[in-house]
Coordinates of all heavy atoms in Angstrom, one line a residue:
M1185 N 249.4 134.3 -80.0 CA 248.3 133.6 -79.5 C 247.2 134.7 -79.0 O 247.6 135.6 -78.4 CB 248.7 132.7 -78.3 CG 247.5 132.1 -77.6 SD 247.9 131.1 -76.2 CE 249.5 130.6 -76.2
K1186 N 246.0 134.3 -79.2 CA 244.9 135.2 -78.8 C 243.9 134.3 -78.0 O 243.5 133.2 -78.5 CB 244.1 135.8 -79.9 CG 244.9 136.9 -80.7 CD 244.1 137.4 -81.8 CE 244.9 138.4 -82.5 NZ 244.2 139.0 -83.7
A1187 N 243.7 134.6 -76.7 CA 242.8 133.7 -75.9 C 241.8 134.6 -75.2 O 242.0 135.7 -74.7 CB 243.7 133.1 -74.9
I1188 N 240.5 134.0 -75.1 CA 239.4 134.6 -74.5 C 239.0 133.7 -73.3 O 238.9 132.5 -73.6 CB 238.3 135.0 -75.4 CG1 237.2 135.8 -74.6 CG2 237.8 133.8 -76.0 CD1 236.2 136.5 -75.5
I1189 N 238.8 134.2 -72.1 CA 238.5 133.4 -71.0 C 237.1 133.9 -70.5 O 237.0 135.1 -70.3 CB 239.6 133.5 -69.8 CG1 240.9 133.2 -70.3 CG2 239.1 132.6 -68.6 CD1 242.0 133.5 -69.3
N1190 N 236.2 133.0 -70.3 CA 234.9 133.3 -70.0 C 234.7 133.0 -68.5 O 235.0 131.9 -68.1 CB 233.9 132.4 -70.8 CG 232.5 132.6 -70.6 OD1 232.1 133.7 -70.4 ND2 231.8 131.5 -70.7
V1191 N 234.2 134.0 -67.6 CA 234.0 133.7 -66.2 C 232.6 134.1 -65.9 O 232.2 135.3 -66.1 CB 235.1 134.4 -65.3 CG1 235.1 135.9 -65.5 CG2 234.9 134.0 -63.9
T1192 N 231.8 133.1 -65.4 CA 230.5 133.4 -65.1 C 230.2 133.1 -63.6 O 229.2 133.5 -63.1 CB 229.5 132.4 -65.8 OG1 229.8 131.0 -65.6 CG2 229.6 132.8 -67.3
E1193 N 231.2 132.4 -62.9 CA 230.9 132.1 -61.4 C 232.0 132.8 -60.5 O 233.1 132.7 -60.9 CB 231.1 130.6 -61.3 CG 230.2 129.7 -62.1 CD 230.5 128.3 -62.0 OE1 230.8 127.8 -60.9 OE2 230.5 127.6 -63.1
P1194 N 231.5 133.4 -59.5 CA 232.4 134.2 -58.6 C 233.5 133.3 -58.0 O 234.7 133.7 -57.9 CB 231.5 134.6 -57.5 CG 230.2 134.8 -58.1 CD 230.1 133.7 -59.1
G1195 N 233.2 132.0 -57.8 CA 234.2 131.1 -57.3 C 235.3 130.7 -58.2 O 236.4 130.1 -57.9
K1196 N 235.2 131.2 -59.5 CA 236.3 130.9 -60.5 C 237.0 132.0 -60.9 O 237.9 132.0 -61.8 CB 235.6 130.2 -61.7 CG 235.0 128.8 -61.4 CD 234.7 128.0 -62.6 CE 234.2 126.6 -62.1 NZ 233.8 125.8 -63.2
I1197 N 236.7 133.2 -60.3 CA 237.5 134.4 -60.7 C 238.9 134.4 -60.4 O 239.8 134.7 -61.3 CB 236.8 135.7 -59.9 CG1 235.4 135.9 -60.6 CG2 237.7 136.9 -60.2 CD1 234.5 136.9 -59.9
N1198 N 239.3 133.9 -59.2 CA 240.7 133.9 -58.8 C 241.5 132.9 -59.9 O 242.6 133.3 -60.3 CB 240.9 133.5 -57.4 CG 240.5 134.5 -56.5 OD1 240.6 135.7 -56.8 ND2 240.1 134.2 -55.3
V1199 N 241.0 131.7 -60.1 CA 241.7 130.9 -61.1 C 241.7 131.5 -62.5 O 242.7 131.3 -63.2 CB 241.1 129.4 -61.0 CG1 239.7 129.4 -61.7 CG2 242.1 128.5 -61.6
T1200 N 240.7 132.2 -62.8 CA 240.7 132.8 -64.1 C 241.8 133.9 -64.3 O 242.6 133.9 -65.3 CB 239.3 133.5 -64.4 OG1 238.3 132.4 -64.4 CG2 239.3 134.2 -65.7
I1201 N 241.9 134.7 -63.3 CA 242.9 135.7 -63.2 C 244.3 135.1 -63.2 O 245.2 135.6 -64.0 CB 242.6 136.7 -62.1 CG1 241.4 137.6 -62.4 CG2 243.9 137.7 -61.8 CD1 240.9 138.5 -61.2
A1202 N 244.5 134.1 -62.4 CA 245.8 133.5 -62.3 C 246.1 132.8 -63.6 O 247.3 132.9 -64.1 CB 245.7 132.4 -61.2
S1203 N 245.2 132.3 -64.4 CA 245.4 131.6 -65.6 C 245.8 132.7 -66.7 O 246.7 132.5 -67.5 CB 244.2 130.9 -66.1 OG 244.0 129.8 -65.3
A1204 N 245.1 133.8 -66.6 CA 245.4 134.9 -67.6 C 246.9 135.4 -67.3 O 247.6 135.6 -68.3 CB 244.4 136.1 -67.4
L1205 N 247.2 135.6 -66.1 CA 248.6 136.0 -65.8 C 249.6 134.9 -66.2 O 250.7 135.3 -66.7 CB 248.7 136.3 -64.3 CG 248.0 137.6 -63.8 CD1 248.0 137.6 -62.3 CD2 248.5 138.8 -64.5
N1206 N 249.4 133.7 -66.0 CA 250.2 132.6 -66.5 C 250.4 132.7 -68.0 O 251.6 132.5 -68.5 CB 249.7 131.3 -66.0 CG 249.8 131.0 -64.6 OD1 250.7 131.6 -63.9 ND2 249.1 130.1 -64.0
L1207 N 249.3 132.9 -68.7 CA 249.5 133.0 -70.2 C 250.3 134.2 -70.6 O 251.2 134.0 -71.4 CB 248.1 133.3 -70.8 CG 247.2 132.0 -71.0 CD1 245.8 132.5 -71.4 CD2 247.8 131.1 -72.0
I1208 N 250.2 135.3 -69.9 CA 251.0 136.5 -70.3 C 252.5 136.3 -69.9 O 253.4 136.7 -70.6 CB 250.5 137.7 -69.5 CG1 249.1 138.0 -70.0 CG2 251.4 139.0 -69.7 CD1 249.0 138.6 -71.4
R1209 N 252.7 135.6 -68.8 CA 254.1 135.3 -68.4 C 254.8 134.4 -69.3 O 255.9 134.5 -69.7 CB 254.1 134.7 -67.0 CG 254.3 135.6 -65.9 CD 254.6 135.0 -64.6 NE 253.5 134.2 -63.9 CZ 252.5 134.8 -63.2 NH1 252.6 136.1 -63.0 NH2 251.7 134.1 -62.7
E1210 N 254.1 133.3 -69.8 CA 254.6 132.4 -70.7 C 254.7 133.0 -72.1 O 255.7 132.6 -72.8 CB 253.7 131.1 -70.8 CG 253.8 130.2 -69.6 CD 255.2 129.6 -69.4 OE1 255.8 129.2 -70.4 OE2 255.6 129.7 -68.3
D1211 N 253.9 133.8 -72.5 CA 253.9 134.4 -73.9 C 253.6 135.9 -73.7 O 252.4 136.3 -73.9 CB 252.9 133.7 -74.8 CG 253.0 134.3 -76.3 OD1 253.7 135.2 -76.5 OD2 252.2 133.7 -77.0
P1212 N 254.6 136.7 -73.5 CA 254.3 138.2 -73.3 C 253.6 138.8 -74.6 O 253.1 139.9 -74.4 CB 255.7 138.8 -73.1 CG 256.5 137.7 -72.6 CD 255.9 136.4 -73.3
E1213 N 253.7 138.2 -75.7 CA 253.0 138.7 -76.9 C 251.6 138.3 -77.0 O 250.9 138.7 -78.0 CB 253.8 138.3 -78.2 CG 255.3 138.8 -78.2 CD 255.3 140.2 -78.2 OE1 254.6 140.9 -78.9 OE2 256.2 140.7 -77.3
A1214 N 251.1 137.4 -76.1 CA 249.7 136.9 -76.2 C 248.8 138.0 -76.0 O 249.0 138.9 -75.3 CB 249.5 135.8 -75.1
T1215 N 247.6 137.9 -76.6 CA 246.5 138.8 -76.4 C 245.5 138.0 -75.6 O 245.1 137.0 -75.9 CB 245.9 139.2 -77.8 OG1 246.8 139.8 -78.5 CG2 244.7 140.2 -77.5
V1216 N 245.1 138.6 -74.3 CA 244.2 137.9 -73.5 C 243.0 138.8 -73.1 O 243.2 139.8 -72.8 CB 245.0 137.4 -72.2 CG1 244.0 136.7 -71.2 CG2 246.1 136.5 -72.5
E1217 N 241.9 138.2 -73.2 CA 240.6 138.9 -72.8 C 239.9 138.1 -71.8 O 239.7 136.9 -72.0 CB 239.8 139.2 -74.0 CG 238.5 139.9 -73.8 CD 237.8 140.2 -75.1 OE1 238.4 140.7 -76.1 OE2 236.5 140.0 -75.1
I1218 N 239.4 138.7 -70.7 CA 238.5 138.0 -69.8 C 237.2 138.7 -69.9 O 237.0 139.9 -69.7 CB 239.0 138.1 -68.3 CG1 240.4 137.5 -68.3 CG2 238.1 137.3 -67.4 CD1 241.1 137.8 -66.9
V1219 N 236.1 137.9 -70.1 CA 234.7 138.3 -70.1 C 234.0 138.0 -68.8 O 233.9 136.7 -68.6 CB 234.0 137.7 -71.4 CG1 232.5 138.3 -71.4 CG2 234.7 138.1 -72.7
F1220 N 233.5 139.0 -68.1 CA 232.8 138.8 -67.0 C 231.3 138.9 -67.2 O 230.9 139.9 -67.8 CB 233.2 139.8 -65.9 CG 234.4 139.6 -65.3 CD1 235.6 140.0 -65.9 CD2 234.6 139.0 -64.0 CE1 236.9 139.9 -65.3 CE2 235.9 138.9 -63.4 CZ 237.0 139.3 -64.1
H1221 N 230.5 137.9 -66.9 CA 229.1 138.0 -67.0 C 228.4 137.0 -66.1 O 229.0 136.4 -65.3 CB 228.6 137.8 -68.5 CG 229.0 136.6 -69.2 ND1 228.1 135.6 -69.6 CD2 230.2 136.1 -69.6 CE1 228.7 134.6 -70.2 NE2 230.0 135.0 -70.3
S1222 N 227.1 137.0 -66.2 CA 226.3 136.2 -65.3 C 226.5 136.6 -63.8 O 226.7 137.7 -63.5 CB 226.4 134.7 -65.6 OG 225.5 133.9 -64.9
D1223 N 226.7 135.6 -62.9 CA 226.9 135.8 -61.5 C 228.3 136.4 -61.2 O 228.5 136.9 -60.1 CB 226.8 134.5 -60.7 CG 225.3 134.1 -60.7 OD1 224.3 134.9 -60.9 OD2 225.1 132.8 -60.6
A1224 N 229.2 136.4 -62.1 CA 230.6 137.0 -61.9 C 230.6 138.5 -62.2 O 231.6 139.2 -61.9 CB 231.6 136.3 -62.7
I1225 N 229.6 139.1 -62.7 CA 229.6 140.4 -63.1 C 229.9 141.5 -62.0 O 230.5 142.5 -62.3 CB 228.3 140.9 -63.9 CG1 228.4 142.1 -64.7 CG2 227.0 140.9 -63.0 CD1 229.4 142.1 -65.8
A1226 N 229.4 141.2 -60.8 CA 229.5 142.1 -59.7 C 231.0 142.4 -59.4 O 231.3 143.4 -59.0 CB 228.8 141.7 -58.5
Y1227 N 231.9 141.5 -59.8 CA 233.4 141.7 -59.5 C 233.9 142.9 -60.2 O 234.7 143.6 -59.6 CB 234.1 140.4 -60.0 CG 235.6 140.5 -59.6 CD1 235.9 139.9 -58.3 CD2 236.5 141.0 -60.4 CE1 237.2 139.9 -58.0 CE2 237.8 141.0 -60.0 CZ 238.2 140.5 -58.8 OH 239.5 140.5 -58.4
V1228 N 233.4 143.2 -61.4 CA 233.9 144.4 -62.1 C 233.4 145.7 -61.6 O 233.6 146.8 -62.2 CB 233.8 144.2 -63.6 CG1 234.6 143.1 -64.1 CG2 232.4 144.2 -64.1
C1229 N 232.4 145.6 -60.7 CA 231.7 146.8 -60.2 C 232.1 147.2 -58.7 O 231.6 148.1 -58.2 CB 230.2 146.6 -60.2 SG 229.4 146.3 -61.8
S1230 N 233.1 146.5 -58.2 CA 233.5 146.6 -56.9 C 234.8 147.4 -56.7 O 235.9 147.0 -57.4 CB 233.7 145.3 -56.1 OG 234.2 145.5 -54.9
N1231 N 234.8 148.5 -55.9 CA 236.0 149.3 -55.8 C 237.1 148.4 -55.2 O 238.2 148.7 -55.3 CB 235.7 150.5 -54.9 CG 234.9 151.6 -55.6 OD1 234.9 151.7 -56.9 ND2 234.1 152.4 -54.9
E1232 N 236.7 147.4 -54.4 CA 237.7 146.6 -53.8 C 238.5 145.8 -54.8 O 239.7 145.4 -54.5 CB 237.0 145.5 -52.9 CG 236.4 146.0 -51.7 CD 235.6 144.9 -50.9 OE1 235.9 143.7 -51.3 OE2 234.9 145.2 -50.0
N1233 N 238.1 145.7 -56.0 CA 238.7 145.0 -57.0 C 239.4 145.8 -58.1 O 240.1 145.4 -59.0 CB 237.8 143.9 -57.8 CG 237.1 143.1 -56.8 OD1 237.7 142.5 -55.9 ND2 235.9 142.8 -57.0
E1234 N 239.3 147.1 -57.9 CA 239.8 148.1 -58.9 C 241.3 147.9 -59.0 O 241.8 147.9 -60.2 CB 239.5 149.6 -58.4 CG 239.9 150.6 -59.5 CD 239.4 152.0 -59.3 OE1 238.8 152.1 -58.2 OE2 239.6 152.8 -60.1
E1235 N 242.1 147.8 -58.0 CA 243.5 147.7 -58.1 C 243.9 146.5 -58.9 O 244.9 146.5 -59.8 CB 244.2 147.7 -56.8 CG 245.7 147.8 -56.8 CD 246.3 148.0 -55.4 OE1 245.6 148.7 -54.6 OE2 247.4 147.3 -55.2
R1236 N 243.3 145.3 -58.6 CA 243.6 144.1 -59.2 C 243.2 144.1 -60.7 O 244.0 143.7 -61.5 CB 242.8 143.0 -58.5 CG 243.4 141.5 -58.9 CD 242.7 140.5 -58.1 NE 243.4 139.2 -58.3 CZ 242.7 138.1 -58.0 NH1 241.5 138.0 -57.4 NH2 243.3 137.0 -58.2
L1237 N 242.1 144.6 -61.0 CA 241.7 144.8 -62.5 C 242.6 145.8 -63.2 O 243.0 145.5 -64.3 CB 240.3 145.2 -62.5 CG 239.2 144.2 -62.1 CD1 237.8 144.9 -62.0 CD2 239.2 143.0 -63.1
S1238 N 242.9 146.8 -62.6 CA 243.9 147.8 -63.2 C 245.2 147.3 -63.4 O 245.9 147.4 -64.5 CB 244.0 149.0 -62.3 OG 242.8 149.7 -62.3
S1239 N 245.7 146.4 -62.6 CA 247.0 145.7 -62.7 C 246.8 144.7 -63.9 O 247.8 144.7 -64.7 CB 247.3 144.9 -61.4 OG 248.5 144.2 -61.7
L1240 N 245.8 144.0 -64.0 CA 245.7 143.1 -65.2 C 245.6 143.9 -66.5 O 246.3 143.5 -67.5 CB 244.3 142.3 -65.1 CG 244.3 141.1 -64.2 CD1 242.8 140.7 -63.9 CD2 245.1 140.0 -64.7
M1241 N 244.9 145.0 -66.5 CA 244.8 145.9 -67.7 C 246.1 146.5 -68.0 O 246.5 146.6 -69.2 CB 243.7 146.9 -67.6 CG 242.3 146.3 -67.5 SD 240.9 147.5 -67.5 CE 240.9 148.0 -65.8
S1242 N 246.9 146.8 -67.1 CA 248.3 147.4 -67.3 C 249.2 146.3 -67.9 O 250.2 146.7 -68.6 CB 249.0 148.0 -66.1 OG 249.3 146.9 -65.2
K1243 N 248.9 145.0 -67.7 CA 249.6 144.0 -68.3 C 249.2 143.6 -69.7 O 249.6 142.7 -70.3 CB 249.7 142.8 -67.4 CG 250.5 143.0 -66.1 CD 250.3 141.8 -65.2 CE 251.2 141.9 -63.9 NZ 251.0 143.0 -63.1
G1244 N 248.1 144.3 -70.2 CA 247.6 144.1 -71.5 C 246.4 143.2 -71.5 O 245.9 142.8 -72.6
V1245 N 245.9 142.8 -70.4 CA 244.7 141.9 -70.4 C 243.5 142.8 -70.6 O 243.3 143.8 -69.9 CB 244.5 141.1 -69.1 CG1 243.2 140.3 -69.1 CG2 245.8 140.2 -68.9
D1246 N 242.6 142.5 -71.6 CA 241.4 143.3 -71.8 C 240.3 142.7 -70.9 O 240.0 141.5 -71.0 CB 241.0 143.1 -73.3 CG 239.8 144.0 -73.8 OD1 239.6 145.0 -73.0 OD2 239.3 143.7 -74.8
I1247 N 239.7 143.5 -70.1 CA 238.7 143.1 -69.2 C 237.3 143.6 -69.8 O 237.2 144.8 -70.1 CB 238.9 143.7 -67.8 CG1 240.3 143.3 -67.2 CG2 237.8 143.3 -66.8 CD1 240.5 141.8 -67.0
V1248 N 236.4 142.7 -69.9 CA 235.2 143.0 -70.5 C 234.0 142.7 -69.6 O 233.9 141.6 -69.0 CB 235.0 142.2 -71.8 CG1 233.6 142.4 -72.5 CG2 236.1 142.6 -72.8
A1249 N 233.0 143.6 -69.6 CA 231.8 143.3 -68.8 C 230.6 143.3 -69.7 O 230.5 143.9 -70.7 CB 231.6 144.5 -67.8
C1250 N 229.6 142.4 -69.4 CA 228.4 142.1 -70.2 C 227.3 143.1 -69.7 O 226.9 143.0 -68.4 CB 228.0 140.7 -69.9 SG 226.4 140.3 -70.6
R1251 N 226.8 143.9 -70.5 CA 225.8 144.9 -70.3 C 224.5 144.1 -69.9 O 223.8 144.6 -69.0 CB 225.5 145.8 -71.4 CG 224.4 146.9 -71.1 CD 224.2 147.9 -72.2 NE 225.3 148.8 -72.1 CZ 226.2 149.1 -73.1 NH1 226.2 148.4 -74.3 NH2 227.1 150.0 -73.0
N1252 N 224.2 143.0 -70.6 CA 222.9 142.3 -70.2 C 222.9 141.8 -68.8 O 222.0 141.8 -68.1 CB 222.7 141.1 -71.2 CG 222.3 141.6 -72.5 OD1 221.7 142.6 -72.7 ND2 222.7 140.8 -73.5
S1253 N 224.2 141.3 -68.3 CA 224.3 140.9 -67.0 C 224.2 142.1 -66.0 O 223.7 141.9 -64.9 CB 225.7 140.2 -66.8 OG 225.7 139.0 -67.5
L1254 N 224.8 143.1 -66.3 CA 224.7 144.4 -65.4 C 223.2 144.6 -65.2 O 222.8 144.9 -64.1 CB 225.4 145.6 -66.0 CG 227.0 145.5 -66.0 CD1 227.5 146.7 -67.0 CD2 227.5 145.6 -64.6
I1255 N 222.4 144.6 -66.3 CA 221.0 145.0 -66.2 C 220.3 143.9 -65.4 O 219.5 144.3 -64.5 CB 220.4 145.2 -67.7 CG1 221.0 146.3 -68.3 CG2 219.0 145.2 -67.5 CD1 220.7 146.4 -69.8
A1256 N 220.6 142.6 -65.7 CA 219.9 141.5 -64.9 C 220.2 141.6 -63.5 O 219.3 141.3 -62.6 CB 220.4 140.2 -65.6
K1257 N 221.4 142.0 -63.1 CA 221.8 142.1 -61.6 C 221.5 143.4 -61.0 O 221.9 143.7 -59.9 CB 223.2 141.6 -61.6 CG 223.6 140.4 -62.0 CD 223.0 139.3 -61.2 CE 223.3 137.8 -61.6 NZ 222.6 136.8 -60.9
K1258 N 220.9 144.3 -61.9 CA 220.5 145.7 -61.4 C 221.8 146.4 -61.0 O 221.8 147.1 -59.9 CB 219.5 145.6 -60.3 CG 218.1 145.0 -60.8 CD 217.1 145.0 -59.7 CE 215.8 144.5 -60.2 NZ 215.6 143.3 -61.0
L1259 N 222.8 146.3 -61.7 CA 224.1 147.0 -61.4 C 224.2 148.2 -62.4 O 223.9 148.1 -63.6 CB 225.3 146.2 -61.5 CG 225.3 145.0 -60.5 CD1 226.4 144.0 -60.9 CD2 225.6 145.5 -59.1
N1260 N 224.6 149.4 -61.9 CA 224.8 150.6 -62.8 C 226.1 150.5 -63.5 O 227.2 150.2 -63.0 CB 224.7 151.8 -61.8 CG 224.6 153.1 -62.6 OD1 225.3 153.3 -63.6 ND2 223.9 154.1 -62.1
E1261 N 226.0 150.8 -64.8 CA 227.2 150.9 -65.6 C 228.3 151.8 -65.1 O 229.5 151.5 -65.2 CB 226.9 151.3 -67.0 CG 226.3 150.1 -67.8 CD 226.1 150.4 -69.3 OE1 227.0 151.2 -69.9 OE2 225.2 150.0 -69.9
K1262 N 227.8 152.8 -64.4 CA 228.7 153.8 -63.9 C 229.7 153.3 -62.7 O 230.6 153.8 -62.3 CB 228.1 155.1 -63.4 CG 227.4 155.8 -64.5 CD 226.6 157.1 -63.9 CE 226.0 157.8 -65.1 NZ 225.2 158.9 -64.7
S1263 N 229.2 152.1 -62.2 CA 229.9 151.5 -61.1 C 231.1 150.6 -61.7 O 231.9 150.0 -60.9 CB 229.0 150.6 -60.2 OG 228.4 149.6 -60.9
V1264 N 231.1 150.3 -62.9 CA 232.0 149.4 -63.5 C 233.4 150.1 -63.4 O 233.6 151.3 -63.7 CB 231.7 149.2 -65.0 CG1 232.9 148.4 -65.7 CG2 230.4 148.4 -65.0
V1265 N 234.5 149.3 -63.0 CA 235.7 149.9 -62.8 C 236.3 150.6 -64.1 O 236.0 150.0 -65.2 CB 236.8 148.8 -62.4 CG1 238.2 149.2 -62.4 CG2 236.4 148.3 -61.0
K1266 N 237.0 151.7 -63.9 CA 237.4 152.5 -65.1 C 238.4 151.6 -65.9 O 239.3 150.8 -65.4 CB 238.2 153.7 -64.6 CG 238.6 154.6 -65.7 CD 239.3 155.9 -65.2 CE 239.8 156.7 -66.3 NZ 240.5 157.8 -65.9
G1267 N 238.1 151.6 -67.2 CA 239.1 150.8 -68.1 C 238.5 149.5 -68.6 O 238.9 148.9 -69.6
V1268 N 237.4 149.0 -67.9 CA 236.7 147.8 -68.2 C 235.8 148.2 -69.4 O 235.1 149.2 -69.4 CB 235.9 147.3 -67.0 CG1 235.0 146.1 -67.4 CG2 236.8 146.8 -65.9
R1269 N 235.9 147.3 -70.5 CA 235.1 147.6 -71.6 C 233.8 146.9 -71.5 O 233.7 145.7 -71.1 CB 235.8 147.0 -72.8 CG 235.1 147.3 -74.2 CD 236.1 147.0 -75.4 NE 236.7 145.6 -75.3 CZ 236.2 144.6 -75.9 NH1 235.1 144.8 -76.6 NH2 236.8 143.5 -75.9
I1270 N 232.6 147.6 -71.8 CA 231.3 147.0 -71.7 C 230.9 146.6 -73.1 O 231.0 147.4 -74.1 CB 230.4 148.0 -71.0 CG1 230.8 148.4 -69.6 CG2 228.9 147.5 -71.0 CD1 230.0 149.4 -69.0
V1271 N 230.3 145.4 -73.2 CA 229.8 144.9 -74.4 C 228.2 144.6 -74.1 O 227.9 144.3 -73.0 CB 230.5 143.7 -75.0 CG1 231.9 144.0 -75.4 CG2 230.4 142.5 -74.1
N1272 N 227.4 144.6 -75.2 CA 226.1 144.3 -75.0 C 225.8 142.9 -74.4 O 225.0 142.7 -73.5 CB 225.3 144.5 -76.2 CG 225.1 146.0 -76.6 OD1 225.0 146.8 -75.7 ND2 225.1 146.3 -77.9
A1273 N 226.4 141.9 -75.0 CA 226.2 140.5 -74.7 C 227.6 139.8 -74.6 O 228.3 139.7 -75.5 CB 225.4 139.8 -75.6
G1274 N 227.9 139.4 -73.3 CA 229.1 138.7 -73.1 C 229.2 137.4 -73.9 O 230.3 137.2 -74.5
I1275 N 228.1 136.7 -74.0 CA 228.2 135.4 -74.8 C 228.5 135.7 -76.3 O 229.2 134.9 -76.9 CB 227.0 134.5 -74.6 CG1 227.2 133.1 -75.2 CG2 225.7 135.2 -75.2 CD1 228.2 132.4 -74.4
Y1276 N 228.0 136.7 -76.8 CA 228.2 137.2 -78.2 C 229.7 137.5 -78.3 O 230.4 137.1 -79.4 CB 227.4 138.3 -78.6 CG 227.7 138.7 -80.1 CD1 227.3 138.0 -81.2 CD2 228.5 139.8 -80.3 CE1 227.5 138.3 -82.4 CE2 228.8 140.2 -81.6 CZ 228.3 139.5 -82.7 OH 228.7 139.8 -84.0
E1277 N 230.3 138.2 -77.3 CA 231.7 138.5 -77.4 C 232.6 137.2 -77.5 O 233.5 137.2 -78.3 CB 232.0 139.4 -76.2 CG 233.6 139.7 -76.1 CD 234.0 140.8 -77.0 OE1 233.2 141.4 -77.8 OE2 235.2 141.1 -77.0
V1278 N 232.2 136.3 -76.7 CA 233.0 135.1 -76.6 C 232.8 134.3 -78.1 O 233.8 133.9 -78.6 CB 232.5 134.1 -75.5 CG1 233.1 132.7 -75.6 CG2 232.9 134.8 -74.2
L1279 N 231.6 134.2 -78.6 CA 231.4 133.6 -79.8 C 232.0 134.3 -81.0 O 232.6 133.6 -81.9 CB 229.9 133.3 -80.1 CG 229.3 132.3 -79.1 CD1 227.7 132.3 -79.3 CD2 229.8 131.0 -79.2
K1280 N 232.0 135.5 -81.0 CA 232.6 136.4 -82.0 C 234.1 136.1 -82.0 O 234.7 135.9 -83.1 CB 232.3 137.9 -81.8 CG 232.8 138.7 -82.9 CD 232.4 140.2 -82.7 CE 233.3 140.8 -81.6 NZ 233.8 142.1 -81.8
K1281 N 234.7 136.2 -80.9 CA 236.1 136.0 -80.8 C 236.6 134.5 -81.3 O 237.5 134.4 -82.0 CB 236.7 136.3 -79.4 CG 236.5 137.7 -79.1 CD 237.5 138.7 -79.8 CE 237.2 140.1 -79.5 NZ 238.3 140.8 -78.9
E1282 N 235.8 133.6 -80.8 CA 236.0 132.2 -81.4 C 236.0 132.2 -82.8 O 236.8 131.5 -83.4 CB 235.0 131.2 -80.7 CG 235.4 130.8 -79.3 CD 234.5 129.6 -78.9 OE1 233.3 129.9 -78.6 OE2 235.0 128.5 -79.0
S1283 N 235.0 132.9 -83.5 CA 234.8 132.7 -84.8 C 235.9 133.4 -85.6 O 236.2 133.2 -86.8 CB 233.4 133.3 -85.3 OG 233.5 134.7 -85.2
E1284 N 236.7 134.4 -84.9 CA 237.8 135.1 -85.4 C 239.2 134.3 -85.1 O 240.2 134.8 -85.5 CB 237.9 136.5 -84.7 CG 236.7 137.3 -85.2 CD 236.7 138.6 -84.4 OE1 237.6 138.8 -83.5 OE2 235.9 139.5 -84.7
G1285 N 239.0 133.1 -84.6 CA 240.2 132.3 -84.4 C 240.8 132.3 -83.0 O 241.9 131.7 -82.8
W1286 N 240.2 133.0 -82.1 CA 240.8 133.1 -80.7 C 240.5 131.7 -80.1 O 239.5 131.1 -80.3 CB 240.0 134.2 -79.9 CG 240.3 135.6 -80.3 CD1 240.3 136.2 -81.6 CD2 240.7 136.6 -79.3 NE1 240.6 137.5 -81.4 CE2 240.8 137.8 -80.1 CE3 240.9 136.7 -78.0 CZ2 241.2 139.0 -79.5 CZ3 241.3 137.8 -77.4 CH2 241.5 139.1 -78.2
L1287 N 241.4 131.4 -79.1 CA 241.3 130.2 -78.4 C 240.4 130.5 -77.2 O 240.5 131.5 -76.6 CB 242.6 129.7 -77.8 CG 243.7 129.4 -78.8 CD1 245.1 129.3 -78.2 CD2 243.3 128.2 -79.7
Y1288 N 239.4 129.6 -77.0 CA 238.4 129.8 -75.9 C 238.8 128.9 -74.7 O 239.0 127.7 -74.9 CB 237.0 129.4 -76.4 CG 235.9 129.3 -75.3 CD1 235.6 130.5 -74.6 CD2 235.4 128.1 -75.0 CE1 234.6 130.4 -73.7 CE2 234.4 128.0 -74.0 CZ 234.0 129.2 -73.3 OH 233.1 129.2 -72.3
I1289 N 238.9 129.6 -73.5 CA 239.2 128.9 -72.3 C 238.1 129.0 -71.4 O 237.7 130.1 -71.0 CB 240.5 129.5 -71.7 CG1 241.7 129.5 -72.6 CG2 240.9 128.8 -70.4 CD1 242.9 130.2 -72.2
K1290 N 237.7 127.8 -70.9 CA 236.6 127.7 -69.9 C 237.1 127.0 -68.7 O 237.7 125.9 -68.8 CB 235.4 127.0 -70.4 CG 234.3 126.7 -69.4 CD 233.1 127.5 -69.7 CE 231.9 127.1 -68.8 NZ 231.7 128.0 -67.7
L1291 N 237.2 127.7 -67.6 CA 237.8 127.1 -66.4 C 236.7 126.6 -65.5 O 235.6 127.0 -65.5 CB 238.6 128.2 -65.7 CG 239.7 128.6 -66.6 CD1 240.4 129.9 -65.9 CD2 240.8 127.5 -66.8

């Protein structure tokens, strides 16, 4: 199974992360990607969240940040937690994965 989770609201980050972990627990072979953009983008730029994001990545979850959102929110790419992959447009990443057969999860 391949699943992509789109998170745009800070209030939905915890449930998004919990859902990703639940997917991995149920299916250790699953490929899971979380795309952070819009108002949720600051989460991947905070040192406070580095340990949590690193833990997710160590479990195989691909964490993705939207460059357009970084620019819109005036956040420096250098502040993005190490290991987080930056794409030009988060929405394009979601649509591309959907077109490749990934399951799209919106929480």
